[in-house]
Amino acid sequence: MKGSKESQGEKGSKGALIALASIPLIMTLGNSMLLPILPQISKELGVSAFGVSMIITVYGLIAILMIPVAGYLSDRFGRKKVILPSLILAALGGAGCVAAAWFFTGVTAYWIILAGRFVQGIGAAGAFPIVIPFVGDLFKDEKEVSKGLGIIETSNTFGKVVSPILGAYLGTLLWYAPFIAIPVLCLISCILVIFLVKKPKAEEEAEKTSLKEFLGGIKSVLHEKGRWLYAIFAIGGICMFATFGVLFYLSEILESRYNLHGAYKGFVLAIPLALLCLASYGSGKIIGKNKLLMKWLGFGGMALLTAATLITGFNENIYYMVGFLSLSGIGIGVVLPCMDALITEGIEKENRGTITSLYSSMRFIGVALGPPVVSLLMNRGHWTLFFTMAGVGAVGGLLSFFAVRPSKEDSEGEGRTERNSFKPKKGSPLRQRAR
């Protein structure tokens, strides 16, 4: 009987993991699918490259503000109670974009689409970032948590690879077809969560946290471990800035300069993303719990990103650019699992939701800034654009070199240094809440 109950529990956890893994996949598709059709949207609605980049940026900006709020609400009222309404909001935002494209034209349609993306960004804030602590709630064993987070990250990166191909193909059928896909996919994910995800026992027994305690906890962790945390937050944001900036740039020049459209364009955009995905998978397999290895792989990845973008600035040949920008994708793919693991392994469960929500916000800052910054830099010349991106990558490399400093014990995956331990001191709000 006991064995059969455990078997049922494992099946339930696997089903819940599948449902939760659908969320980052759908959220990634809902944003990245639009990148290859941004030039098409610009022509259809008669807006500038900077204006159309705001369709990506407004989504990211509101998500940045709402992610910490969603993290607090999920701690107080439950993960599932936040995820389900968030998925519905994301679906409604997508439906609003479809209605704008269907019933209106020109600038009017553009502003309504921006409003729809605003609503969709609120939904995204309460969906994907909540998945990470939810996986921690589902499993007691740390190895199972790590495996679960690996599946979530794989789903996220897979969405990045598929999105430009799918978005470009749908754009050939109807310019706003990717907007139609968003509410459909959100509703599918919502149904999966309703039927496959049960409230974990850890959540049922969790002590409710007041807003004052929540804010006090954030202040305490940032005060004690600020230097280490800020470095990882910044590196995550830089990686997303480079990823979405490169994709926006390639999407623009492939269409305007090389007259490449549809699925062909999508496949070219997918090349650096596919290598990013493979590098991310390989990095995640290698690092284990070795924090010293995480530090040096993170530094190496940022160095590769910096070198690749710097070299790209010397030549505008499309094969040359795609090749070196693919190398930058490998660098980013190496870095991200290291930063994710440093935060996940270094934070106790009761504090993980708070810190991961702030980390997700910083990554969304990169997503939001990438397209508009690149659209402005494109007017200043090829060299200026890639020299700036290389400079940003160099900042990330310096942060990983100087701010992430594991001890010898951490090199073997054992113990924690003061910098790498997120365990709160006695008397801190987080310590009091953990009792």
Side-chain angles (χ1 to χ4, degrees):
M1 288 292 291
K2 187 177 179 181
S4 64
K5 283 183 179 180
E6 288 179 357
S7 178
Q8 288 175 0
E10 287 180 8
K11 287 181 180 178
S13 296
K14 288 179 181 178
L17 200 55
I18 290 170
L20 292 175
S22 72
I23 295 172
L25 175 63
I26 287 166
M27 291 299 116
T28 301
L29 288 173
N31 200 32
S32 300
M33 266 199 307
L34 302 179
L35 284 166
I37 65 163
L38 287 180
Q40 197 174 347
I41 296 173
S42 178
K43 291 176 184 176
E44 291 286 342
L45 301 182
V47 295
S48 65
F50 178 81
V52 80
S53 73
M54 295 304 294
I55 291 175
I56 300 294
T57 299
V58 73
Y59 172 94
L61 285 177
I62 187 59
I64 292 162
L65 298 174
M66 294 304 297
I67 284 171
V69 176
Y72 165 71
L73 292 175
S74 75
D75 282 339
R76 184 159 181 81
F77 299 107
R79 317 288 190 207
K80 192 172 179 179
K81 289 179 180 179
V82 172
I83 286 175
L84 289 175
S86 297
L87 286 170
I88 293 169
L89 267 179
L92 290 173
C97 295
V98 175
W102 183 271
F103 294 108
F104 301 94
T105 58
V107 177
T108 303
Y110 168 74
W111 285 107
I112 298 173
I113 286 172
L114 280 186
R117 290 287 289 169
F118 183 90
V119 174
Q120 195 181 339
I122 297 174
F128 176 42
I130 307 303
V131 169
I132 297 173
F134 206 155
V135 172
D137 296 341
L138 284 174
F139 301 101
K140 292 182 179 179
D141 184 56
E142 285 294 328
K143 289 183 179 178
E144 292 299 319
V145 172
S146 298
K147 286 181 182 178
L149 290 172
I151 292 171
I152 297 300
E153 189 62 36
T154 300
S155 177
N156 186 25
T157 52
F158 178 73
K160 285 184 174 67
V161 175
V162 173
S163 56
I165 301 170
L166 184 59
Y169 172 73
L170 290 174
T172 61
L173 304 177
L174 193 66
W175 71 268
Y176 56 87
F179 287 120
I180 298 174
I182 292 167
V184 174
L185 292 171
C186 285
L187 291 176
I188 291 171
S189 186
C190 195
I191 292 168
L192 289 173
V193 172
I194 289 171
F195 290 103
L196 295 179
V197 179
K198 295 180 180 179
K199 182 189 290 186
K201 290 182 180 179
E203 186 176 291
E204 291 173 351
E205 298 169 359
E207 186 179 333
K208 301 300 182 184
T209 308
S210 70
L211 181 60
K212 185 178 180 180
E213 289 174 326
F214 175 76
L215 294 175
I218 292 176
K219 184 179 178 181
S220 176
V221 170
L222 294 180
H223 176 72
E224 292 176 23
K225 313 298 174 186
R227 178 183 173 185
W228 193 84
L229 282 173
Y230 295 147
I232 293 181
F233 292 168
I235 292 166
I238 287 168
C239 287
M240 290 297 101
F241 170 82
T243 300
F244 278 80
V246 164
L247 288 175
F248 179 82
Y249 176 77
L250 284 177
S251 180
E252 286 288 328
I253 65 163
L254 286 173
E255 190 154 322
S256 61
R257 193 180 301 172
Y258 297 96
N259 200 31
L260 203 61
H261 304 276
Y264 293 107
K265 175 183 171 181
F267 277 111
V268 175
L269 291 174
I271 293 171
L273 289 171
L275 291 173
L276 187 156
C277 183
L278 289 172
S280 180
Y281 177 78
S283 178
K285 293 283 284 184
I286 291 170
I287 56 177
K289 293 184 178 181
N290 189 331
K291 291 185 176 65
L292 189 62
L293 182 60
M294 293 173 197
K295 169 198 168 72
W296 288 112
L297 280 178
F299 173 73
M302 294 308 300
L304 181 58
L305 166 64
T306 303
T309 48
L310 184 64
I311 294 170
T312 305
F314 289 100
N315 198 314
E316 295 187 49
N317 177 276
I318 187 61
Y319 298 105
Y320 180 94
M321 284 195 297
V322 171
F324 279 101
L325 291 177
S326 295
L327 285 178
S328 74
I330 293 173
I332 293 167
V334 169
V335 172
L336 287 176
C338 296
M339 298 303 107
D340 293 348
L342 283 167
I343 282 187
T344 304
E345 295 293 335
I347 302 174
E348 295 186 349
K349 280 189 175 183
E350 62 267 20
N351 309 329
R352 196 173 288 163
T354 302
I355 301 302
T356 55
S357 69
L358 293 173
Y359 177 59
S360 296
S361 290
M362 289 301 300
R363 286 177 62 156
F364 266 92
I365 289 175
V367 172
L369 289 178
V373 170
V374 168
S375 70
L376 294 173
L377 290 174
M378 283 173 67
N379 298 325
R380 297 181 177 274
H382 180 81
W383 166 247
T384 303
L385 167 61
F386 285 101
F387 179 79
T388 302
M389 293 193 74
V392 173
V395 171
L398 291 172
L399 287 172
S400 64
F401 184 83
F402 289 107
V404 181
R405 301 174 67 182
S407 68
K408 292 180 181 179
E409 289 83 1
D410 288 328
S411 68
E412 298 174 359
E414 300 173 358
R416 292 172 182 165
T417 62
E418 187 178 344
R419 276 194 177 98
N420 279 18
S421 174
F422 288 83
K423 188 175 181 180
K425 295 177 181 177
K426 290 182 180 180
S428 73
L430 288 175
R431 169 63 73 183
Q432 292 167 4
R433 182 162 59 112
R435 287 174 178 172

